[in-house]
């Protein structure tokens, strides 16, 4: 493409971004962000969604043959029924459903644009984004809704070898690990599901968990399955143990019986994820360890957000809470930003 054409393209992109002043910009086009945008559009507010990946990027990065824990009606948004022949829908069904909902409401979703920062104040925000080619643009908007979820940032172990290419913090599918030695680190749903899936597809699986046994949060239909595999010795398990280092061909553990080295090809460190605290604090969210925000309401699942009903009086600060809740910024100067946060402690 000739330089002139590229320049015209870039100018068109800049115009597309800056020409319009939106009423609401939603950061994150996951189920919660989509639900927020449907509600703001319904109230006649010109709304744009920005996502650093594809539509429902987090769901897209769930294990490819994952089945949701909740039933379809608990995943519905925008009063659109979620038809599924299964009692619990699959990841692909959910992606298909949210695509259809976005199409039905003709939502303006700008994919592959990462929000870097939010400048300005109530009614005059400028949201700086970067596209996948590193080009920066900005959106003008009156209000900002943050629905960035929590799945993008893994809880790193910070041990030697964690950066090796054989170490993954997200599990996708079992085939590439057939007939290999795999260590799964973690004791909650993601670790249990990955360990079972890998074992069922021919990997030699060792689960390492710092807790005394598989976590009680593991879903009732998964728990007996993984416990029985461990009892039968089909999945090896080290409890009250920690991975202290990862090498090219081995993994070092600290166990109650002393240090142990395991032959190893791949490691899945499925030790949970956390919200983008840097982005949240840059938006004025005050984090503290209190685990309950007085004004927040649990929502359970990704349904029927009431983000719009939240009034944002100035001058009152509210701690953030990790879990299924709304986080409201109540501090002078950052009025106009509403947090819509969904996290189910599955790990
Ligand atoms: C394996 C797994 C299974 C689950 N099963 C269930 C279940 O059965 N039922 C249930 O109710 N919940 C389940 N959950 C919880 C589920 O993740 C959430 O309910 C749901 O994804 C939350 O939706 P959300 O829109 O708030 O966040 P997300 O779906 O995480 O969406 C956030 C979006 O924000 C985008 N984003 C983040 N930062 C930026 C940025 N700086 N700029 C632009 N975009 C950004 C991300 O790309 C992402 O698309 C499960 C979670 C996991 C991990």
């Amino acid at each position: 493409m000739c330089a002139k054409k590229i320049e015209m393209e870039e100018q068109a992109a800049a115009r597309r971004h800056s020409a319009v002043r939106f009423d609401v910009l939603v950061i994150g086009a996951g189920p919660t962000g989509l639900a927020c945008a449907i509600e703001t559009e319904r109230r006649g507010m010109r709304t744009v969604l920005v996502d650093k990946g594809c539509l429902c990027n987090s769901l897209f990065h769930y294990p490819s043959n994952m089945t949701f824990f909740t039933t379809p009606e608990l995943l519905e948004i925008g009063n659109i029924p979620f038809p599924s022949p299964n009692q619990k829908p699959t990841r692909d069904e959910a992606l298909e459903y949210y695509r259809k909902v976005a199409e039905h409401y003709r939502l303006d979703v700008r994919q592959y644009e990462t929000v870097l920062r939010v400048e300005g104040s109530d009614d005059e925000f400028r949201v700086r984004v970067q596209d996948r080619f590193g080009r920066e643009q900005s959106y003008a908007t009156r209000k900002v809704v943050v629905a960035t979820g929590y799945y993008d940032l893994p809880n790193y172990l910070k041990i030697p070898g964690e950066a090796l290419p054989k170490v993954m913090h997200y599990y996708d599918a079992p085939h590439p690990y057939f007939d290999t030695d795999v260590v799964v680190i973690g004791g909650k749903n993601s670790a249990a599901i990955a360990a079972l899936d890998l074992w069922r597809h021919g990997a030699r699986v060792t689960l390492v968990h710092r807790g005394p046994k598989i976590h009680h949060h593991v879903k009732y239909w998964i728990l007996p399955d993984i416990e029985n595999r461990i009892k039968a010795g089909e999945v090896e398990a080290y409890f009250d143990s920690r991975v202290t280092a990862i090498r090219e061909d081995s993994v070092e553990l600290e166990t109650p019986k002393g240090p142990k080295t395991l032959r190893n090809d791949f490691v899945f460190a499925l030790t949970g994820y956390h919200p983008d605290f840097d982005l949240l604090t840059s938006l004025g969210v005050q984090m503290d360890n209190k685990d309950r925000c007085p004004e927040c309401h649990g929502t359970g699942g990704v349904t029927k957000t009431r983000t719009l009903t939240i009034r944002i009086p100035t001058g009152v600060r509210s701690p953030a809470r990790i879990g299924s809740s709304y986080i409201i910024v109540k501090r002078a100067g950052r009025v106009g930003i509403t947090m819509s946060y969904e996290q189910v402690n599955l790990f």
Side-chain angles (χ1 to χ4, degrees):
M1 193 192 293
C2 71
K4 185 81 194 118
K5 193 136 186 349
I6 292 171
E7 195 192 329
M8 285 166 65
E9 287 276 333
E10 285 176 353
Q11 283 161 0
R15 274 195 307 280
R16 220 181 33 247
H17 280 78
S18 57
V20 182
R21 182 160 175 264
F22 293 95
D23 294 310
V24 177
L25 182 143
V26 181
I27 310 177
T32 307
L34 295 173
C36 298
I38 291 166
E39 295 303 325
T40 51
E41 283 284 347
R42 269 187 177 149
R43 286 166 175 75
M45 297 177 199
R46 180 162 193 180
T47 303
V48 65
L49 295 111
V50 177
D51 201 291
K52 65 180 175 183
C54 56
L55 185 89
C56 290
N57 194 55
S58 299
L59 269 65
F60 176 70
H61 286 96
Y62 290 173
S64 43
N65 52 16
M66 186 199 99
T67 300
F68 272 83
F69 306 122
T70 36
T71 42
E73 75 286 353
L74 289 179
L75 299 171
E76 288 173 357
I77 58 172
N79 303 109
I80 306 243
F82 184 161
S84 168
N86 308 311
Q87 196 223 353
K88 298 177 191 304
T90 65
R91 167 187 162 273
D92 287 348
E93 283 178 303
L95 291 172
E96 170 79 14
Y97 169 73
Y98 292 120
R99 282 196 300 271
K100 287 280 177 268
V101 171
E103 253 169 26
H104 172 79
Y105 283 104
R106 294 198 179 86
L107 296 178
D108 182 352
V109 183
R110 310 294 173 92
Q111 302 179 81
Y112 309 106
E113 294 187 0
T114 302
V115 170
L116 303 173
R117 59 188 176 281
V118 176
E119 297 157 351
S121 59
D122 192 20
D123 279 338
E124 284 156 27
F125 289 112
R126 291 206 76 74
V127 179
R128 304 289 302 174
V129 302
Q130 187 175 58
D131 71 13
R132 60 205 153 101
F133 306 109
R135 298 173 298 193
E136 279 205 23
Q137 312 279 359
S138 71
Y139 292 90
T141 182
R142 295 180 43 237
K143 306 287 180 186
V144 174
V145 171
V146 180
T148 47
Y150 69 95
Y151 196 58
D152 296 297
L153 299 167
N155 298 335
Y156 290 105
L157 300 165
K158 302 191 177 83
I159 57 173
E162 187 170 14
L164 285 168
K166 64 185 257 184
V167 182
M168 289 146 279
H169 287 276
Y170 294 88
Y171 174 67
D172 178 14
H175 176 73
Y177 314 103
F178 167 70
D179 194 21
T180 67
D181 293 304
V182 179
V183 161
V184 174
I185 308 173
K188 295 189 178 176
N189 281 297
S190 289
I193 292 167
L196 288 166
D197 200 31
L198 287 159
W199 172 73
R200 287 214 161 88
H201 294 84
R204 291 178 294 278
V205 180
T206 303
L207 186 137
V208 180
H209 182 34
R210 63 185 176 189
K213 58 186 172 71
I214 295 289
H215 199 281
H216 63 273
H217 272 174
V218 168
K219 302 297 174 188
Y220 65 87
W221 63 93
I222 298 166
L223 191 57
D225 190 359
I226 185 71
E227 287 180 336
N228 290 340
R229 302 287 78 70
I230 291 170
K231 253 191 236 116
E234 291 156 338
V235 169
E236 200 174 350
Y238 291 86
F239 292 110
D240 296 318
S241 302
R242 268 176 350 100
V243 173
T244 52
I246 302 169
R247 315 279 178 219
E248 279 72 8
D249 305 310
S250 65
V251 159
E252 288 164 27
L253 308 185
E254 191 185 283
T255 76
K257 295 197 182 104
K260 177 127 185 114
T261 301
L262 303 175
R263 216 211 76 64
N264 176 261
D265 300 304
F266 296 99
V267 174
F268 284 98
L270 304 177
T271 47
Y273 309 90
H274 60 267
D276 185 344
F277 292 125
D278 295 344
L279 179 69
L280 294 178
T281 41
S282 76
L283 295 168
V285 173
Q286 305 283 324
M287 298 289 173
D288 70 20
N289 296 326
K290 270 211 209 74
D291 73 349
R292 175 111 198 108
C293 161
E295 295 82 12
C296 301
H297 317 277
T299 53
V302 282
T303 57
K304 305 189 177 56
T305 172
R306 284 172 299 156
T307 304
L308 265 182
T309 61
I310 293 174
R311 298 275 167 275
I312 306 182
T314 55
V316 183
R317 238 166 26 79
S318 162
R321 173 186 174 231
I322 303 299
S324 48
S325 66
Y326 297 111
I327 299 176
I328 309 161
V329 174
K330 293 181 177 180
R331 193 173 66 169
R334 298 317 303 247
V335 176
I337 297 184
T338 303
M339 301 295 174
S340 167
Y341 225 86
E342 170 70 60
Q343 175 166 346
V344 180
N345 274 328
L346 298 170
F347 302 104

